[in-house]
Amino acid sequence: MELNLLVSELANFLQVSKFQDYCPNGLQVEGRPQVRRIISGVTASQALIEAAIAANADAILVHHGYFWRGEPAEVTGLKRQRLKRLLTHDISLLAYHLPLDAHPQVGNNVQLGQVFGWPVTRYLDDKNMLPVTTLAQPMSLAQVAEHVAQRLGRQPQVLGAPDKLVHTVSWCTGAAQSYIQQAVTAGVDLFISGEVSEQTWHTVCESGTAYLSAGHHATERYGVQALGQWLAQTHGLEHVYVELGNPV
């Protein structure tokens, strides 16, 4: 598939133009003009680049790419090393941040709900970033935390009384802990995200809405996998997801 066509197809599918983001969405580093094999991962780290080189990939597809708002513009140090490897091996880098979080089919949020077995009943926002589910059977906070741990393969940090009864859950992947305020306003019993801040504890204590910090990387593994699978199914491209563990 031609690289330019791939970029165009993804822009349309993910509705990139609808988002004001912290980074460019789409083609961040241009490689060879034809794409047959794609390596995907959560973050465009050096380790993922090396995996793509070893696999003779034509492109890398990630959620966390480069050129974030506010970062130094100079191409030095780690940035220079990563870009040098991509350019030397003629590998393209495609990154999709908020468009991949919010997509109703392959998005991180809807995919995480599927991992948990939770159908989305509504959203707390107009961008599909804050899904809500009503549990088929109420569970204690400790039971929900164990369910999350089993599905993600890691123990979440639990803020709230373990015996608190949970009927409704909202979530947003990654570093979305501040969105707990919307969950509190909506009267949701539990909010889940990837990271936690010091003030999150006080919000939990003062509101009654519990919180689980389930891991930034752990909660954002599924959207890029689903997007890669969509490309394989619809365009016949080879796709391999590379899992690189991250404790955060």
Side-chain angles (χ1 to χ4, degrees):
M1 186 177 187
E2 290 190 7
L3 176 62
N4 290 340
L5 179 58
L6 173 61
V7 173
S8 177
E9 288 285 309
L10 286 172
N12 290 332
F13 182 62
L14 297 174
Q15 298 184 307
V16 166
S17 63
K18 292 186 177 181
F19 294 86
Q20 296 293 321
D21 212 335
Y22 314 101
C23 60
N25 286 291
L27 183 63
Q28 293 190 340
V29 178
E30 182 178 0
R32 61 196 67 147
Q34 297 288 331
V35 177
R36 177 175 59 88
R37 179 175 299 157
I38 295 175
I39 293 294
S40 70
V42 177
T43 299
S45 64
Q46 188 72 48
L48 186 63
I49 294 171
E50 297 305 325
I53 293 171
N56 194 29
D58 303 300
I60 298 174
L61 177 68
V62 295
H63 180 50
H64 301 138
Y66 303 153
F67 314 115
W68 296 90
R69 183 190 306 164
E71 75 174 21
E74 294 82 5
V75 180
T76 59
L78 297 179
K79 180 185 288 187
R80 173 187 179 275
Q81 178 61 24
R82 291 172 175 177
L83 292 175
K84 180 180 179 181
R85 294 292 280 168
L86 287 171
L87 293 169
T88 298
H89 292 272
D90 213 12
I91 297 174
S92 296
L93 175 65
L94 297 99
Y96 299 92
H97 187 233
L98 293 183
L100 187 56
D101 285 325
H103 195 271
Q105 179 181 339
V106 301
N108 279 320
N109 286 310
V110 71
Q111 287 292 320
L112 185 63
Q114 292 180 18
V115 169
F116 293 148
W118 296 341
V120 176
T121 55
R122 61 190 175 100
Y123 288 90
L124 299 182
D125 68 325
D126 60 359
K127 295 289 188 181
N128 295 345
M129 295 288 286
L130 297 170
V132 179
T133 194
T134 299
L135 300 180
Q137 295 290 335
M139 303 167 67
S140 71
L141 178 59
Q143 289 174 320
V144 177
E146 182 56 30
H147 175 71
V148 168
Q150 290 178 357
R151 295 301 176 96
L152 297 186
R154 57 169 289 160
Q155 291 292 330
Q157 185 174 358
V158 182
L159 278 65
D163 59 352
K164 173 184 172 61
L165 200 59
V166 176
H167 297 265
T168 54
V169 184
S170 181
W171 65 93
C172 186
T173 65
Q177 56 267 45
S178 64
Y179 286 129
I180 190 176
Q181 297 294 342
Q182 282 89 326
V184 170
T185 300
V188 174
D189 298 318
L190 169 64
F191 187 69
I192 301 174
S193 189
E195 298 186 22
V196 65
S197 299
E198 188 272 343
Q199 62 265 29
T200 311
W201 169 245
H202 303 292
T203 301
V204 169
C205 291
E206 296 169 25
S207 70
T209 295
Y211 183 81
L212 294 183
S213 173
H216 193 139
H217 175 87
T219 58
E220 295 199 319
R221 289 178 292 195
Y222 305 102
V224 73
Q225 293 183 60
L227 182 58
Q229 290 166 4
W230 177 81
L231 285 171
Q233 292 167 0
T234 59
H235 296 286
L237 298 176
E238 296 180 26
H239 166 248
V240 176
Y241 170 76
V242 176
E243 171 60 20
L244 297 170
N246 188 331
V248 177

